[in-house]
Amino acid sequence: MTEHITDTTVPGQETLNALRENLMEVERLTTQHQGADIPAEELSRRFSTLQEQLTTVEQKLETQALEREEFAALLEVSHAIGSTLDLTEVLNKVMDQIIHLTGAERSILMLVNPETEELELRAARNVDYETIDSSAFEISRSIVNQVAESGEPVVTTNAQSDPRFKARESVIGYKLRSILCVPLEARRRITGVIYADNRARSGPFSDRDRDLLAAFASQAAVAIENARLFEDLKTRNEENRRLNKELTEANRELSRLDQAKSDFIDIASHELRTPLTQVRGYNDILSEMFHKGAVTTQAGLKMTHGIRRASMRLEEVVDAMFDVSRLETETLSLSTSAIQLSSVISAAVQEWEEALEKRDLTLEVEGIADLPTIKGDGTRLVQAFSHLVQNAIKYTPDEGEIQITGCLSDSDAPPQEQAVGIVVADTGIGIAVDDLERIFKKFYRVGDVLLHSTGKAKFKGAGPGLGLAITRGIVKAHGGEIWAKSPGCDEDTCPGSEFHVVLPVEPPV
Ligand code: ADP
């Protein structure tokens, strides 16, 4: 019971009781000696005891007020750091409160990097609660390391004369005086240290500051760990989101390719079946004519000519497939010689003269004749440009225009650094921005497979979707580049397309 009473007694209560008793004694003395002389000696003794007791009460009150302030600050800090998960904000708050609580000049927080296990500076603040950069301070690394290794806090009021630290290089070199350093511990691991110092004067830190900071550090360590885990989680989340996006895109691309492959099988069988049917048809007619003995030279020639045309078409389709498979296995070899690009363009255009006329399209060639001779495979280059001209014809409505323009990159440069640029432009339906790169992928064709046509120059008569893949393969084999430009696809306004080809004058060996 007595114990219980003692427990609830407020600190300083005993002194107050003694003070009260003393006052009552003085009162008793004054009443007892009313009017008469009070013994001066006794009175003076009583007064000086009263003085002492008052001073003690005053000191106790002061300590209590200080403790209350520290407790309030601790509470405020734990509330503040618990209210955010932003690591930088948490760290700065921790630093500012340390300066506020201990009266330090500057305060530094170092965290152990989980990967390297090294202490790394994470926050540094000065007395004006401003962030200071690492060049603006020097600290005692040996004290910091000692605290991180031992997990024991360190406080020194004057490192210059403290036998434990005065010989340390950093203490002498940086003229460090009062230092306070405590470990940060979370989940039974040292996760960092808090270091505060005062270089100007000695003595601002006490053991009380050390204990206070240690109590504060244990709260801060948890908050920092939480913020770090949160940051980690955030990074992982972002990474997951990015990977998911990539996966969705890859899946979309995969199903697009899958679709393109099935389309290709449809188209290829159609491409092959049509000329095969023609061959069989001509053959049947011819053998019937033989049976009836009615073969005339003219009719025979007509039939064989039809068979030849159909088999040539068959050969073309098979060749395209073969070229693509060669591009895939990178076995497309070139037989190079000096080439005049004007001859290449003429040969490529010549193949389509009949189609140009039939479709009422104009084709202009400019600046090609002035281009220097380049090293390349003439047959392959004709194949590439012929395909670009064929596409320009196929995707441009009747009466449109096609323009082939050439230019040289840098006429003053040595030949091995020179390149020629050739642009095949049309006034056709154009290409959607999203398709500008995809059209170079094999089997890729814009639009519906049903729009497919075996007519080689028919408007919008899409082929097997191999032409541009082969063209790019040929250009790349020459060390060049090819890309498409178009504002978009619109059959009503016909914004047109441009195919840019750049070829080095001397391809790399
Ligand atoms: P295809 O055999 O189908 O013509 P390509 O590889 O030559 O295959 O072309 C792929 C796709 O690129 C075509 O289906 C077409 O949609 C588009 N394309 C190619 N050239 C042009 C052009 N000059 N104008 C508009 N679209 C084009």
Side-chain angles (χ1 to χ4, degrees):
M1 188 71 187
T2 328
E3 231 176 70
H4 175 75
I5 292 169
T6 323
D7 273 351
T8 52
T9 313
V10 282
Q13 187 72 55
E14 271 171 38
T15 329
L16 270 177
N17 289 345
L19 196 120
R20 195 173 293 121
E21 263 171 37
N22 224 340
L23 265 175
M24 275 159 63
E25 190 55 25
V26 174
E27 195 185 4
R28 194 182 55 76
L29 275 172
T30 5
T31 0
Q32 214 177 47
H33 295 275
Q34 245 172 9
D37 278 351
I38 303 168
E41 210 178 298
E42 172 70 4
L43 210 57
S44 144
R45 199 177 54 78
R46 291 275 167 200
F47 270 125
S48 61
T49 316
L50 262 176
Q51 202 90 47
E52 275 166 30
Q53 287 167 332
L54 261 174
T55 315
T56 316
V57 168
E58 243 169 44
Q59 277 169 354
K60 290 211 163 152
L61 279 175
E62 236 172 62
T63 317
Q64 272 179 18
L66 209 68
E67 279 173 358
R68 249 201 315 277
E69 198 195 331
E70 285 168 353
F71 182 68
L74 261 179
L75 213 67
E76 196 187 310
V77 166
S78 62
H79 176 73
I81 58 181
S83 65
T84 175
L85 277 171
D86 181 318
L87 189 56
T88 316
E89 212 181 314
V90 168
L91 297 182
N92 283 342
K93 270 183 180 161
V94 168
M95 294 293 91
D96 291 349
Q97 289 301 335
I98 287 166
I99 291 173
H100 174 68
L101 287 177
T102 62
E105 237 176 12
R106 27 178 228 165
S107 152
I108 287 149
L109 189 138
M110 300 181 91
L111 293 181
V112 177
N113 180 330
E115 271 158 33
T116 59
E117 305 222 325
E118 295 276 322
L119 273 174
E120 279 175 8
L121 181 102
R122 293 303 301 268
R125 303 279 275 184
N126 65 13
V127 72
D128 297 320
Y129 305 132
E130 290 164 343
T131 299
I132 41 180
D133 75 273
S134 55
S135 60
F137 58 80
E138 291 120 350
I139 58 165
S140 172
R141 265 280 183 178
S142 61
I143 292 182
V144 163
N145 288 340
Q146 176 188 320
V147 171
E149 273 158 30
S150 68
E152 293 298 323
V154 156
V155 60
T156 173
T157 45
N158 190 356
Q160 297 293 315
S161 59
D162 191 324
R164 294 173 300 166
F165 311 115
K166 68 176 182 188
R168 299 205 184 172
E169 249 175 62
S170 53
V171 171
I172 304 165
Y174 307 145
K175 301 190 178 63
L176 302 176
R177 288 196 175 272
S178 20
I179 299 171
L180 187 56
C181 189
V182 296
L184 287 171
E185 213 176 316
R187 295 193 218 159
R188 297 208 196 105
R189 255 184 330 112
I190 307 271
T191 53
V193 293
I194 295 177
Y195 170 101
D197 72 6
N198 223 315
R199 291 194 298 174
R201 54 201 173 91
S202 56
F205 303 132
S206 63
D207 286 351
R208 274 179 62 82
D209 285 328
R210 182 198 57 202
D211 295 344
L212 181 72
L213 197 57
F216 169 62
S218 63
Q219 284 186 19
V222 175
I224 290 168
E225 190 66 7
N226 284 347
R228 195 143 69 168
L229 288 175
F230 180 70
E231 210 114 293
D232 213 39
L233 204 72
K234 234 169 55 184
T235 323
R236 270 164 218 252
N237 249 347
E238 266 158 30
E239 180 70 1
N240 270 351
R241 215 168 301 138
R242 193 184 57 76
L243 286 175
N244 257 341
K245 217 172 128 201
E246 272 178 27
L247 205 71
T248 318
E249 191 46 47
N251 262 336
R252 212 172 289 147
E253 190 62 21
L254 212 65
S255 50
R256 215 162 21 217
L257 280 177
D258 202 43
Q259 182 61 40
K261 264 193 185 164
S262 333
D263 289 353
F264 169 71
I265 292 168
D266 290 350
I267 295 163
S269 45
H270 178 72
E271 289 270 351
L272 296 172
R273 197 177 297 126
T274 314
L276 265 177
T277 315
Q278 286 170 346
V279 170
R280 192 189 292 150
Y282 286 125
N283 188 54
D284 289 352
I285 300 171
L286 207 58
S287 65
E288 209 178 309
M289 281 175 161
F290 271 123
H291 278 301
K292 289 181 181 165
V295 192
T296 62
T297 315
Q298 205 188 2
L301 278 175
K302 200 177 157 199
M303 294 305 124
T304 48
H305 182 68
I307 291 173
R308 187 174 156 69
R309 250 202 353 244
S311 46
M312 270 169 69
R313 179 67 196 142
L314 267 177
E315 211 175 298
E316 269 171 28
V317 178
V318 174
D319 277 353
M321 291 181 193
F322 193 51
D323 278 348
V324 161
S325 80
R326 271 199 286 205
L327 283 176
E328 229 157 55
T329 52
E330 290 179 357
T331 51
L332 185 89
S333 57
L334 301 179
S335 120
T336 52
S337 57
I339 301 289
Q340 285 288 341
L341 279 163
S342 51
S343 317
V344 168
I345 302 296
S346 298
V349 173
Q350 211 172 1
E351 281 185 46
W352 303 104
E353 251 157 19
E354 204 184 315
L356 287 163
E357 204 172 317
K358 213 164 158 189
R359 298 272 320 281
D360 212 359
L361 297 163
T362 53
L363 188 143
E364 266 180 37
V365 179
E366 217 182 288
I368 302 285
D370 309 330
L371 295 178
T373 309
I374 70 160
K375 264 197 199 135
D377 184 325
T379 315
R380 286 294 184 188
L381 287 175
V382 171
Q383 185 186 356
F385 283 103
S386 164
H387 194 78
L388 294 181
V389 175
Q390 181 190 12
N391 276 353
I393 295 172
K394 282 202 296 187
Y395 300 102
T396 304
D398 294 0
E399 294 171 28
E401 286 161 30
I402 299 166
Q403 178 128 25
I404 304 176
T405 324
C407 66
L408 182 65
S409 65
D410 183 359
S411 50
D412 295 333
Q416 56 279 19
E417 284 170 27
Q418 283 180 0
V420 294
I422 296 167
V423 180
V424 180
D426 60 51
T427 56
I429 59 172
I431 303 161
V433 176
D434 279 353
D435 285 329
L436 286 173
E437 189 49 38
R438 284 188 206 135
I439 53 172
F440 290 97
K441 290 202 166 133
K442 58 183 185 295
F443 308 136
Y444 190 82
R445 295 171 47 246
V446 180
D448 196 338
V449 178
L450 297 174
L451 287 177
H452 167 79
S453 154
T454 34
K456 284 169 73 178
K458 221 173 136 191
F459 178 48
K460 292 200 292 172
L466 296 175
L468 284 179
I470 296 170
T471 304
R472 178 172 268 181
I474 294 171
V475 173
K476 288 217 169 210
H478 281 82
E481 289 293 336
I482 175 168
W483 66 95
K485 269 187 177 176
S486 175
C489 179
D490 191 324
E491 285 184 35
D492 297 325
T493 60
C494 282
S497 316
E498 286 178 6
F499 283 81
H500 293 245
V501 178
V502 172
L503 292 167
V505 167
E506 283 187 15
V509 228

